[in-house]
Amino acid sequence: MLSQNKKVILGLTGWFVLAALTLADVKVGAPFPGLEAFGLEGTLPDRAGRVVLVDFWATWCAPCKASFPAYSMMQKELGERGFTIVAVSVDKKPEDYAEFLKKMTPGFATVRDAKQKLVADVKVPGMPTCYLVDRKGVLRMIHGGFHGDASVRELREEISRLLEEKP
Amino acid sequence: MKATQRLNLFLVFAATCSLWSGCANVQPWERATLADYSMRPDRDPLMTAMSEHIYFSREASSGGRGVGGSGCGCN
């Protein structure tokens, strides 16, 4: 029989373990959360059977903005082979988001996570971070930051590999 | 009150305090305010020039303030 003391300690440990589990972030090899469930502002592109790059960005993040021309180019070149970019803005101010898109006009789909529910669920470790999801909806790669050509090279290699896989 | 009861009470109190703590981590996606231009230490050119002058006058050295970026942690 457990003493009262041990019961309390056991209960508290269980509480903290449960709390830690509910905060678990997404893992490579596991399905990426469905984007429809988070009330994102904007139109999500058709992603069924496609390789999808989900990029988290913000107008206040300089490297995020620097990645846009390279991502536009990737979308243009690989789109026909079944590649789609969904850029999820975490901007709280809709005017900042709208103003930036007016100036930039990216060549891929952008949506806004106004309530920051998706980004909190995914627990993005830094800005920007992109998640590469295969044709079956499984997360295959997490890329943190944007480091110019090095990032583009790394992403393109993995995207090309995933595009070769059958749906 | 027994010693074990006091200990249990303390443990429950400590756990409750940890949950109600006012401390919170600023998540990467919540750093818009920190990344704002007004958060930059060199946002006022005149103040920066005066600080530089005081610094090199006192330390007999100048320069070395070339670190860029603000508080978003993404540079």
Side-chain angles (χ1 to χ4, degrees), chain B residues 18-66:
Chain B
S18 72
L19 292 173
W20 285 349
S21 168
C23 299
N25 290 329
V26 179
Q27 298 296 344
W29 57 90
E30 297 172 333
R31 293 182 185 167
T33 308
L34 290 172
D36 194 84
Y37 180 79
S38 61
M39 298 296 275
R40 289 179 66 124
D42 60 345
R43 64 192 175 277
D44 182 349
L46 184 61
M47 182 61 80
T48 306
M50 285 169 66
S51 300
E52 288 280 338
H53 182 77
I54 293 166
Y55 184 76
F56 85 72
S57 301
R58 290 177 64 174
E59 304 291 337
S61 63
S62 65
R65 285 175 179 256

